[in-house]
Amino acid sequence: MATTKLGFIVQRPPYKSENPKLALTHAIASQSVEVYLNDGDIVTADIAFVGDGVLNCKKDQKAMDLYKLTSTETHVKMALLLDLNVLVCKEDLDRFGLTENDIVLNAEEFGAEMTVKVVPFAEITKMMEGVNHLLFF
Amino acid sequence: MGKFTIGCFSSLVGSMSLDFAVKLAGTALEKGHKVDLWVSGNATMLSLKGQRAFKDYSHLEKPLQELMQKGLTVTACEACAEARGYHKEHTIEGFKRHSMDWYLASAFDADRVLHIGGE
């Protein structure tokens, strides 16, 4: 039985490129990776939004209305529903004049118990130090 | 010897990242390492067979096939490929197609994961 921890660092803004959505979908795939592994082996995924990447967490996104696309907001909610650890850098939110009121914090409507954690960058650094591999998107 | 997992998300034409990833994979294989190459997003373009070779555009089908014969495992994200109209019948022989959890499973026992993001 072994655990490999992956850290997904999202630093690009939403919709300009595919990167943030690929980060979320790959992180969410950690929930089905067991089919390739031996019994008891798992892969965990922590997600951190930093820099321009914090904009992915803006709530009330209209991607479905305007583009018929699943929003990154919905993907964040799916990550919470699947109990992934989602961190958002507080300093970068401040830089954009955003507060916790402006971003998605939970997915209660889906029954998720996990919530988004707004943390200082030092906490994100700790997470990065604690994982086996980092993937920057 | 170790195991490398290389993930690349950049397109074949319009970026040199896939050229670098394939060269790196070849070098690692030569040194005796096991290498898994995962392509996702625009990088799934690498899986398309029958691309015409021009001197001005990256063209990796031939070196890729040589590396696959030497043991390189190359897998494309199936959803990313299908979204772009790259269907199974368009895929280079030997090129695998799986869902995203394949990449994470490869990372599970990799000694190093080199993730090369998209544009």
Side-chain angles (χ1 to χ4, degrees):
Chain A
M1 285 175 51
T3 299
T4 295
K5 297 179 181 178
L6 302 180
F8 291 77
I9 313 300
V10 184
Q11 50 191 350
R12 311 274 184 93
Y15 307 112
K16 188 178 179 186
S17 73
E18 196 182 7
N19 291 290
K21 197 165 281 186
L22 286 173
L24 286 159
T25 49
H26 279 75
I28 287 169
S30 63
Q31 300 300 298
S32 55
V33 71
E34 285 91 345
V35 296
Y36 293 102
L37 305 178
N38 294 323
D39 282 351
D41 290 344
I42 58 169
V43 173
T44 65
D46 286 1
I47 307 167
F49 293 93
V50 299
D52 294 353
V54 300
L55 297 172
N56 288 284
C57 302
K58 189 87 175 63
K59 70 179 173 190
D60 205 21
Q61 294 177 28
K62 303 291 186 194
M64 187 53 76
D65 298 340
L66 297 172
Y67 297 110
K68 306 291 182 215
L69 289 174
T70 308
S71 68
T72 50
E73 178 184 9
T74 302
H75 279 92
V76 170
K77 289 182 176 184
M78 286 299 114
L80 293 174
L81 180 62
L82 295 167
D83 293 332
L84 302 190
N85 187 32
V86 181
L87 308 175
V88 177
C89 179
K90 183 176 186 322
E91 290 92 330
D92 288 323
L93 277 182
D94 291 345
R95 193 163 61 90
F96 284 109
L98 298 172
T99 69
E100 291 192 5
N101 292 329
D102 299 308
I103 64 168
V104 56
L105 288 175
N106 60 63
E108 285 174 351
E109 68 271 41
F110 299 135
E113 293 176 1
M114 287 291 278
T115 56
V116 167
K117 300 176 190 75
V118 176
V119 295
F121 185 69
E123 286 292 317
I124 292 173
T125 305
K126 269 189 204 167
M127 180 275 276
M128 291 195 286
E129 288 170 352
V131 298
N132 298 98
H133 302 292
L134 283 170
L135 299 90
F136 287 86
F137 286 83
Chain B
M1 288 298 133
K3 177 187 169 186
F4 279 108
T5 295
I6 302 172
C8 192
F9 289 60
S10 302
S11 61
L12 174 60
V13 175
S15 158
M16 293 300 288
S17 296
L18 270 172
D19 296 74
F20 169 77
V22 170
K23 268 194 182 298
L24 181 69
T27 304
L29 277 174
E30 278 176 23
K31 288 185 175 291
H33 301 296
K34 173 175 168 42
V35 184
D36 283 351
L37 175 59
W38 167 255
V39 292
S40 190
N42 285 340
T44 53
M45 185 183 182
L46 184 68
S47 67
L48 270 181
K49 70 179 174 188
Q51 294 183 46
R52 192 167 162 190
F54 290 101
K55 296 283 185 198
D56 288 334
Y57 300 98
S58 297
H59 183 262
L60 295 172
E61 185 169 343
K62 191 164 174 260
L64 201 59
Q65 284 176 327
E66 288 169 2
L67 290 177
M68 284 193 284
Q69 284 173 2
K70 291 178 182 172
L72 176 69
T73 303
V74 194
T75 305
C77 171
E78 189 168 26
C80 299
E82 288 292 324
R84 288 162 174 80
Y86 308 158
H87 305 304
K88 195 174 180 182
E89 63 268 27
H90 305 140
T91 307
I92 293 171
E93 191 178 342
F95 215 115
K96 299 176 192 300
R97 285 157 50 106
H98 284 296
S99 50
M100 295 174 187
D101 42 18
W102 185 93
Y103 181 37
L104 276 63
S106 176
F108 172 80
D109 61 352
D111 295 288
R112 292 288 185 273
V113 176
L114 181 62
H115 179 88
I116 303 169
E119 292 84 3

